[in-house]
């Protein structure tokens, strides 16, 4: 077995031991900068500006003496954030050479387009604004916009993209994945270079924009990741994404009607009807041949949910879909249904008190703070409850911070979530023959928010394949806290930070560029977070309108509250 070089092992150990020290350095430098900021207001005196300069210079000397600063992105960012206000103070003092030198040092650390607007508009830089070196700093800051701009990404929709535009979109997605995608190890059979060669003639042959996106939509699923996708332009929504007002679910291997969103249609189609065929093709054959190749998913439960609930009946709005259904009594029939519905949008949070003093809160998304507000509004009742159920089964994610804020009302511990890594491939090492992919662990000091009142009673979190992204982060942190029970089915197994970008003709894409693990190293992306108590819906339960997951959670909390 080939041994890992001792130098690499030493680097890994040093990085582990240095994490706390880096965090301390960041806090120290930020404290100095915060002090300096108090002396730089519009009415600052000469003495004030000198004091601010001294504090910022002290911060820079501190970083210069830190041996880890040159290797730590966090410390380099702090140096950059010091050099800009230091340059502004020097400029206000009339110390032009030192102001320009500070900007030059900042330019060697980071090029950030957002700072160009600040440099242009702030009067603090008036003394050096006409200097060539000042303009050079502006130009350098804008470089990322020029370099990273998507290939033909600003070209609007038209019925037929040029062959150059079509190739540009393929190249953009392929390149972003090559340089940033973090789960190539989960698709070891995938030759990403060969994928480009295989798809190049396909996109060249796609004469219309519709044909082009019919091809491109097959590309992202090859990565088998739920946070790596390609979407057609809005102008093509009726070509690809139209749905009838009925939603299906895979239950015990059978495809059942789970929801009908039309009063008239409910007289013909009932919840619990079994779907046997679509447009004359057996349902599982249809799913395998027509739907599965377009699904971006890693975990089996996520793939099943995406296939049978989200995408099974999608298609052209102009084409009605013919469903062969079998009622609970065994009678079969065919129903032709127009694709004039919409996909079930997340509902507003719901709070209620259940039997025996158990509080229940359903949160279907973290895309805004409505779930947090609902929790806080219900907190007086929750504090008196014998148990709390948080239903995350239909929560597709959003802002993970919101989930942590909710958790902060359930514990006085620091909340530790997933440990995240990004690729930090070193082109210099590749040039020297070291063909490696390097990983950088992102800082994770945890989340801590003190509250006067914290609920300490028993808690159950309900999960399922639609528990996704930021809501999955919530479940991971809940498990790490060992705060209570999880019941239901495994989560969707997909979280991370996607890089979003636009494709030619107005399409969209994203690539997952952050890899998440449990703090102990266990993987859950592509697998899912299993519940402590597995409970699944049944055919009989769906037809009877029962919720066996909620029923089991109630039974467990009642038992625990009685014991307590």
């Amino acid at each position: 077995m080939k041994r890992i070089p001792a130098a690499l092992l030493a680097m890994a150990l040093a990085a582990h031991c240095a994490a706390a020290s880096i965090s301390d350095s960041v806090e120290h430098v930020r404290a100095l900068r915060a002090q300096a900021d108090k002396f730089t207001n519009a009415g600052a005196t000469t003495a004030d500006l000198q004091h601010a300069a001294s504090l910022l210079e002290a911060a820079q000397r501190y970083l210069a003496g830190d041996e880890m600063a040159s290797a730590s992105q966090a410390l380099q960012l702090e140096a950059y954030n010091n050099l800009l206000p230091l340059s502004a103070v020097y400029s206000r003092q009339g110390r032009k050479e030192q102001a320009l030198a500070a900007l030059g040092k900042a330019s060697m650390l980071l090029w950030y387009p957002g700072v160009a607007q600040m440099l242009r508009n702030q009067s603090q830089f008036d003394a050096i604004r006409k200097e060539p070196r000042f303009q050079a700093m502006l130009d350098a800051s804008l470089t990322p916009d020029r370099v990273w701009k998507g290939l033909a990404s600003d070209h609007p929709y038209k019925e037929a993209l040029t062959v150059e535009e079509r190739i540009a979109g393929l190249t953009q997605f392929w390149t972003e994945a090559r340089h940033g995608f973090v789960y190539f190890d989960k698709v070891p059979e995938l030759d990403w270079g060969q994928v480009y060669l295989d798809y190049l003639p396909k996109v060249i042959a796609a004469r219309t924009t519709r044909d082009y996106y019919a091809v491109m939509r097959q590309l992202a699923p090859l990565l088998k990741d739920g946070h790596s996708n390609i979407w057609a332009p809005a102008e093509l929504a009726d070509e690809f994404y139209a749905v009838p007002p009925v939603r299906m679910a895979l239950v015990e291997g059978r495809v059942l009607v789970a929801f009908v969103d039309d009063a008239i249609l409910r007289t013909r189609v009932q919840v619990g009807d079994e779907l046997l065929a679509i447009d004359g093709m057996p349902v599982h054959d249809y799913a395998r041949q027509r739907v599965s190749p377009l699904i971006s998913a890693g975990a089996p439960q996520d793939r099943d949910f995406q296939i049978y609930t989200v995408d099974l009946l999608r298609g052209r709005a102009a084409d009605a879909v013919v469903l062969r259904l079998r009622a609970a009594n065994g009678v079969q029939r065919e129903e032709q249904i127009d694709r004039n519905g919409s996909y079930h949008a997340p509902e507003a949070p719901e709070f209620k008190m259940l039997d025996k003093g158990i509080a229940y809160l359903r949160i279907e998304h973290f895309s805004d703070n409505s779930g947090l507000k609902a929790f806080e509004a219900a907190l007086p009742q929750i504090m008196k409850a014998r148990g709390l159920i948080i239903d995350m089964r239909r929560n597709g994610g959003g802002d993970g911070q919101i989930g942590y804020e909710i958790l902060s009302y359930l514990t006085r511990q620091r909340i530790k979530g997933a440990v995240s890594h990004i690729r930090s491939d070193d082109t210099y090492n590749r040039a020297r023959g070291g063909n490696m992919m390097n990983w950088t662990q992102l800082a994770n000091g945890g989340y801590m928010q003190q509250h006067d009142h914290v609920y300490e009673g028993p808690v159950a979190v309900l999960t399922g394949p639609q528990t996704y992204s930021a809501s999955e982060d919530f479940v991971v942190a809940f498990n790490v806290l060992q705060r209570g029970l999880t019941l239901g089915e495994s989560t969707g197994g997909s979280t991370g930070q996607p890089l979003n970008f636009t494709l030619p003709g107005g399409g969209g894409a994203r690539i997952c560029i952050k890899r998440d693990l449990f703090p102990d190293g266990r993987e859950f992306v592509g697998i899912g977070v299993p519940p402590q108590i597995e409970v699944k819906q049944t055919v009989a339960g769906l037809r009877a309108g029962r919720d066996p997951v909620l029923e089991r959670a109630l039974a467990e909390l009642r038992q625990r509250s009685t014991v307590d």
Side-chain angles (χ1 to χ4, degrees), residues 276-283 285-286 290 321-324 334:
L276 302 177
I278 302 172
D279 294 338
M281 183 182 293
V283 62
D285 291 343
Y286 185 96
R290 304 278 185 86
V321 62
V322 178
L323 308 181
R324 187 192 308 158
E334 285 196 346

Side-chain angles (χ1 to χ4, degrees), residues 455-478:
Y455 181 71
E456 297 179 341
V459 181
V461 173
L462 312 186
T463 68
Q466 202 175 347
T467 309
Y468 215 67
S469 194
S471 66
E472 196 164 36
D473 297 337
F474 174 94
V475 175
V476 168
F478 182 80

Side-chain angles (χ1 to χ4, degrees), residues 326-502:
R326 180 165 57 198
N329 61 9
V331 176
Q332 295 188 26
R333 69 197 188 278
E334 285 196 346
E335 297 284 354
Q336 180 172 303
I337 306 174
D338 291 333
R339 288 191 170 100
N340 58 0
S342 60
Y343 184 66
H344 175 66
E347 296 180 0
E350 178 191 15
F351 174 79
K352 57 187 176 182
M353 293 299 299
L354 303 177
D355 190 30
K356 307 295 184 182
I358 304 296
Y360 170 89
L361 177 63
R362 188 194 70 242
I363 305 174
E364 295 198 359
H365 66 87
F366 286 146
S367 56
D368 59 36
N369 64 358
S370 57
L372 173 62
K373 288 184 176 180
F375 185 95
E376 292 175 335
L379 192 58
Q381 292 170 273
I382 292 173
M383 293 299 297
K384 300 175 184 177
R386 296 175 60 188
L388 170 64
I389 296 172
I390 303 177
D391 191 344
M392 304 286 284
R393 286 176 292 176
R394 295 201 293 267
N395 191 316
D399 183 354
Q401 184 78 4
I402 295 170
Y404 288 172
E405 290 180 17
I406 292 172
L407 284 173
S408 71
Y409 285 100
L410 304 178
T411 182
R412 298 191 187 279
Q413 302 178 47
R414 181 174 292 276
I415 298 167
K416 289 290 186 72
V419 175
S420 302
H421 297 77
I422 59 172
R423 282 171 54 182
S424 53
D425 305 347
D426 191 331
T427 307
Y428 178 68
N429 277 339
R430 285 182 60 206
R432 299 178 67 197
N435 194 24
M436 298 180 292
M437 282 189 176
N438 303 325
W439 295 93
T440 296
Q441 180 173 325
L442 302 182
N444 181 17
Y447 179 83
M448 190 73 183
Q449 181 70 39
Q450 296 288 350
H451 298 290
D452 293 336
H453 302 290
V454 170
Y455 181 71
E456 297 179 341
V459 181
V461 173
L462 312 186
T463 68
Q466 202 175 347
T467 309
Y468 215 67
S469 194
S471 66
E472 196 164 36
D473 297 337
F474 174 94
V475 175
V476 168
F478 182 80
N479 281 358
V480 172
L481 284 170
Q482 298 183 333
R483 181 58 186 85
L485 285 175
T486 53
L487 303 95
E489 301 179 62
S490 291
T491 62
S494 183
T495 190
Q497 173 63 58
L499 170 67
N500 294 280
F501 50 97
T502 304

Side-chain angles (χ1 to χ4, degrees), residues 186 223-226 249-251 253 284 287 291-292 295-310 464-468 472 489-494 523-530 534 536:
K186 293 184 179 293
L223 296 173
K224 297 182 180 179
D225 175 69
L250 185 66
V251 181
H284 292 297
V291 185
S292 183
I295 299 302
S296 293
Q301 66 275 15
D302 179 25
R303 175 167 291 275
D304 285 345
F305 174 76
Q306 298 292 335
I307 290 174
Y308 290 100
T309 298
V310 178
Q466 202 175 347
T467 309
Y468 215 67
E472 196 164 36
E489 301 179 62
S490 291
T491 62
S494 183
E523 295 206 46
F524 64 92
V525 172
I527 301 169
V529 181
E534 185 177 62
K536 294 185 176 183

Side-chain angles (χ1 to χ4, degrees), residues 25 137 166 177 500:
S25 295
M137 173 62 175
R166 299 196 298 272
N500 294 280

